[in-house]
Amino acid sequence: MATILAIESSCDETAVAITRDGNLLANIVSTQIEVHRKYGGVMPEIASRLHAENIGVVLKEALETANIALDDIDAFAVTRGPGLIGALHVGLQAAKTLAMLYKKPLIPVHHLAGHIYANKYVDNFTYPLLAVVVSGGNTELVLMKDDLDFKVIAETRDDAIGECYDKVARVLGLPYPGGIPIDKLAKEGKHSYDLPTPLKGEKTLDFSYSGLKTNVINLVHNLEQKGEKVNVPDMCKSFQDVAVELVIDRTIKASKLYDVKEVILAGGVSANSYLRQRMTEEMNKLNIKINIPPMWCCTDNASMIAKVAEKLYDIKLFAPLNIGVDPNWSIEDWNKF
């Protein structure tokens, strides 16, 4: 094991974490949510500028929290992709500079691999496992038969589930990000609106959320044109039931098909209380181990990047210092750099 300093800057959180021999010494996150909320979503140019302003401050606080010096770091890890190009660039340049100055290895990490490995802070993995990756930009099922062995077996054909939550929240007049207010209001409502089940009847493990999103938007607009008021809690409940049950349905099918021993929730939407409840219920029925990340590790952070980097450090999978960002970097191939 080693002392790893990891940087995450793929979207709207500037984060630095430090681990030593697998133990988390510091996990500092500076979020930009309040800035982007006024725009109803992340503004890439603003995000990049804020990362540039915050990276030095976050780095200093992480080192002070861990009570170590940069000389003590064995390797610098960083999110290479996927993400916003400008935002990724800030983190990568910081990590490359530190690696060059201190003559230490540079370890690029895939953002989604980080979300999966965040669950290592809960328990060790049992293979084969199925990672259910649900976030603002991704919805996919990843099969793992061993450490760092990723195979995407299903993905969304259009919108990601988190993106759908944000767009539905916007049309309902709820704040960004939409996951928290919808989840909260759904607890107060009942399933009274008839919404379509995506890809109903199709023999596929894939996801689709564009039609569900469009149906909610059209239904809200039609009711408004008739002068009728939308029951927001009921709409939240109706929408969330359909959105989450699609994830549950695909997870059950994939778990049986690939005979997995463990199911992992990963990504920002894994913080959703209804998803956590339903996934636990169904996996218990199937006698499959369920691993759900702690709430502090659901959103973007650098501790998850450090956890992947520990494995990559052990096998000496380092990158040249001229490596660039790659928002389309495949989770299935670590040898492209």
Side-chain angles (χ1 to χ4, degrees):
M1 301 296 284
T3 302
I4 306 289
L5 187 149
I7 298 174
E8 154 63 28
S9 67
S10 63
C11 190
D12 58 351
E13 269 89 22
T14 311
V16 174
I18 299 172
T19 62
R20 171 172 286 169
D21 297 334
N23 298 310
L24 185 60
L25 304 183
N27 184 41
I28 309 302
V29 180
S30 175
T31 183
Q32 305 173 8
I33 286 180
E34 288 302 322
V35 175
H36 297 289
R37 181 168 284 153
K38 67 182 73 172
Y39 304 104
V42 177
M43 300 296 288
E45 178 63 23
I46 294 176
S48 301
R49 291 176 181 272
L50 289 175
H51 281 306
E53 291 178 11
N54 295 335
I55 187 65
V57 176
V58 175
L59 175 63
K60 182 175 182 291
E61 185 175 347
L63 291 167
E64 291 174 348
T65 300
N67 193 28
I68 63 173
L70 285 168
D71 285 323
D72 300 322
I73 304 299
D74 293 308
F76 295 95
V78 63
T79 302
R80 185 193 180 195
L84 303 174
I85 294 178
L88 288 166
H89 185 75
V90 174
L92 186 61
Q93 291 306 311
K96 286 166 66 173
T97 300
L98 290 169
M100 179 181 65
L101 286 174
Y102 290 89
K103 296 180 173 57
K104 299 294 175 64
L106 176 68
I107 304 176
V109 175
H110 193 284
H111 180 73
L112 298 186
H115 274 301
I116 293 171
Y117 270 73
N119 291 272
K120 283 274 190 177
Y121 288 105
V122 177
D123 197 2
N124 288 324
F125 292 168
T126 304
Y127 302 104
L129 66 78
L130 180 70
V132 183
V133 183
V134 282
S135 67
N138 302 275
T139 306
E140 58 189 40
L141 301 179
V142 181
L143 180 67
M144 293 182 67
K145 295 183 178 180
D146 204 349
D147 262 334
L148 304 176
D149 176 23
F150 304 100
K151 181 181 180 182
V152 179
I153 60 173
E155 56 192 342
T156 182
R157 297 181 181 180
D158 37 64
D159 291 353
I161 184 172
E163 177 185 4
C164 188
Y165 264 88
D166 289 341
K167 290 178 178 177
V168 167
R170 185 184 304 172
V171 77
L172 293 177
L174 302 176
Y176 170 86
I180 295 175
I182 288 179
D183 189 23
K184 181 179 179 180
L185 287 170
K187 293 181 173 69
E188 304 172 10
K190 59 182 182 296
H191 194 130
S192 61
Y193 291 102
D194 185 20
L195 299 174
T197 299
L199 302 177
K200 186 175 183 179
E202 290 193 26
K203 295 182 178 180
T204 179
L205 292 176
D206 282 345
F207 302 87
S208 173
Y209 284 99
S210 179
L212 176 60
K213 170 203 67 181
T214 301
N215 198 275
V216 172
I217 292 173
N218 289 340
L219 181 56
V220 170
H221 287 165
N222 288 338
L223 289 172
E224 290 176 345
Q225 289 173 358
K226 295 177 183 178
E228 299 178 21
K229 191 173 182 180
V230 178
N231 186 310
V232 176
D234 282 6
M235 184 63 79
C236 288
K237 172 63 174 172
S238 303
F239 162 73
Q240 178 158 277
D241 282 354
V242 176
V244 167
E245 289 306 324
L246 179 61
V247 177
I248 300 299
D249 176 77
R250 297 303 190 259
T251 302
I252 292 173
K253 289 179 179 177
S255 297
K256 293 178 179 179
L257 182 62
Y258 291 95
D259 194 25
V260 301
K261 295 181 179 178
E262 179 175 9
V263 165
I264 284 174
L265 272 183
V269 182
S270 65
N272 182 278
S273 65
Y274 183 62
L275 176 59
R276 295 164 82 95
Q277 171 197 327
R278 289 288 297 118
M279 191 65 75
T280 301
E281 291 172 350
E282 294 303 322
M283 291 307 104
N284 286 341
K285 289 179 185 177
L286 296 174
N287 198 28
I288 294 175
K289 178 183 175 183
I290 177 69
N291 192 328
I292 298 176
M295 294 298 288
W296 63 266
C297 221
C298 291
T299 54
D300 292 347
N301 63 88
S303 65
M304 66 186 194
I305 303 303
K307 190 55 71 174
V308 181
E310 290 169 1
K311 292 293 181 181
L312 297 174
Y313 183 86
D314 289 342
I315 62 175
K316 294 181 168 44
L317 191 52
F318 308 143
L321 292 181
N322 64 352
I323 192 172
V325 300
D326 186 354
N328 299 311
W329 193 23
S330 171
I331 193 174
E332 297 178 271
D333 189 353
W334 291 97
N335 299 313
K336 288 185 176 180
F337 50 82

